[in-house]
């Protein structure tokens, strides 16, 4: 009998997805990482571990067939979480705040207290001792970023195959390839992104568009595998009638994202809501740029309800009770967003401002509006024409059932871990 292959999945902020009682911020990348780990663990020939990090010490444990390996470095957590929020400087006052966050109240004093004893190297492309202590046949890395680049560097002298999963179009920005001093809105630098893309053993992209960007800008080939989605678990949550409603509003338009001006673009959603004063809108607003969050609170119209981050277990009901899902993500920064898969799986019609992944667009389960004015009209048309709304919902659901298969997703990734290219 062949020995099982050891596969690692690296996602430092995924622990709150795995263990909901643990507090922490997470997003689509962390959700995908956990789904990926569970999908791979369902294959009998793999031993799968999730490598993560938390600000409290966590024991080794098994969850859904996945071994959870958790790092604990409070100083590094504070430092790395400042990327894109604050910029360290060599001279007084040593810190330039870009985007205020309440967590800075504890992070900055911690870093100030240890500054003279622990020089800051968190932004350097250097080896990660936590990863080096494990011997995997392959490791999956989410996003062309500093975390992935450090992992690739750490494993360069081992036989571990590094598989880089591109999460967003922004990671493939041509400026990363051509400009040595470019740094994007999230604090990722050209040196780091180029190293991750150039040195990964294999690369997986979510869409054909990303495949073209990668080849054109970085001259690397990639395998197209759409995001994972656990339809069985999602349906189980949908059927849980005892789950309390996350919001009392009925027949609302749902939006999920974080406050910023360039990626999720919630201010565009507010323009749409202002054009539909008689239609309720619900915004699930996760952590982001505090200045934009305050602007949203100030200018939102009365038909907009804001919810802070909603537990994942309650999200299916939130989609189920919506008449439509409004999407305002930009093509420059998005990839294949989980929110679109979640909406389609719930048979909730999607109305997008100006971008949809190819698979979603071809499914017939979404409307591509083009402008905020047209987006408002398209939303209103769904409210007036329930037959059209139901048709879009059925098409989106059919797309999930036909093209998004967890087992096939795991098999395709498993094949890459064994490919000796």
């Amino acid at each position: 009998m062949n020995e099982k292959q050891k596969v690692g999945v690296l996602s430092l902020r995924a622990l709150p997805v795995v263990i909901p009682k643990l507090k922490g911020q997470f997003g689509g990348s962390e959700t995908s990482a956990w789904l990926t780990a569970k999908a791979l663990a369902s294959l009998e020939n793999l031993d799968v571990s999730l490598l993560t990090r938390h600000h409290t010490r966590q024991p080794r444990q098994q969850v859904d067939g996945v071994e959870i390996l958790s790092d604990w470095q409070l100083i590094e957590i504070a430092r790395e979480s400042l990327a894109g929020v604050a910029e360290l400087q060599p001279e007084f006052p040593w810190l330039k705040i870009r985007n205020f966050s309440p967590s800075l109240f504890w992070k900055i004093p911690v870093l100030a207290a240890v500054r003279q004893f622990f020089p800051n190297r968190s932004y350097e492309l250097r080896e990660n001792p936590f990863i080096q202590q494990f011997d995997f046949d392959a490791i999956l890395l989410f996003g062309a970023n500093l975390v992935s680049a450090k992992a690739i560097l750490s494993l360069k002298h081992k036989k571990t195959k590094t598989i880089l999963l591109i999460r967003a179009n922004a990671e493939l920005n041509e400026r990363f390839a051509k400009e040595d001093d470019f740094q994007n809105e999230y604090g990722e630098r050209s040196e780091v992104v180029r190293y991750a893309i150039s040195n990964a053993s294999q690369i997986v992209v979510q869409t054909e568009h990303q495949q073209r960007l990668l080849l054109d800008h970085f001259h690397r080939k990639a395998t197209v595998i759409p995001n994972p989605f656990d339809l069985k678990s999602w349906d189980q949550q949908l059927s849980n009638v005892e789950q309390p409603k996350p919001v009392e509003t009925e027949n609302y338009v749902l939006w999920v994202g974080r406050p910023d001006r360039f990626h999720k673009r919630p201010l565009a959603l507010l323009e749409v809501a202002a054009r539909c004063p008689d239609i309720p809108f619900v915004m699930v607003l996760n952590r982001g740029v505090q200045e934009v969050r305050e602007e949203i609170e100030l200018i939102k119209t009365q038909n907009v309800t804001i919810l802070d981050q909603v537990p994942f277990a309650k999200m299916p009901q939130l989609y189920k009770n919506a008449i439509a899902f409004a999407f305002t993500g930009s093509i420059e920064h998005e990839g294949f967003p989980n929110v679109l898969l979640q909406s389609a799986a719930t048979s909730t019609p999607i109305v997008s401002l100006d971008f949809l992944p190819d698979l979603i667009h071809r499914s017939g389960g979404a409307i591509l509006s083009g402008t905020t004015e047209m987006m408002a009209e398209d939303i209103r048309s769904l409210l007036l024409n329930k037959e059209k709304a139901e048709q879009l919902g059925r098409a989106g659901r059919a797309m999930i059932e036909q093209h998004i298969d967890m087992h096939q997703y795991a098999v395709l990734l498993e094949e890459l871990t064994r490919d000796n290219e």
Side-chain angles (χ1 to χ4, degrees), residues 180-216:
D180 291 339
D181 59 351
F182 177 63
Q183 180 173 309
N184 71 3
E185 297 90 342
Y186 293 113
E188 298 294 349
R189 310 188 312 275
S190 294
E191 171 199 11
V192 168
V193 173
R194 279 206 300 260
Y195 184 87
I197 291 176
S198 299
N199 291 280
S201 307
Q202 298 271 10
I203 299 180
V204 174
V205 294
Q206 301 167 306
T207 65
E208 295 171 1
H209 177 66
Q210 289 181 347
Q211 189 180 44
R212 291 190 295 270
L213 290 177
L214 181 65
L215 185 60
D216 291 345

Side-chain angles (χ1 to χ4, degrees), residues 314-325:
K314 293 185 178 180
M315 289 302 295
Q317 291 294 333
L318 203 56
Y319 282 92
K320 181 180 180 180
N321 296 327
I323 58 171
F325 180 78

Side-chain angles (χ1 to χ4, degrees), residues 363-396:
S363 72
I367 299 173
L368 191 60
S369 300
T371 66
T372 55
E373 182 178 6
M374 281 303 303
M375 195 173 183
E377 292 186 18
D378 289 333
I379 288 172
R380 191 175 296 282
S381 73
L382 294 180
L383 190 64
L384 297 175
N385 189 341
K386 292 187 177 180
E387 183 178 346
K388 178 182 179 181
E390 290 174 358
Q391 180 181 356
L392 288 169
R394 287 194 299 269

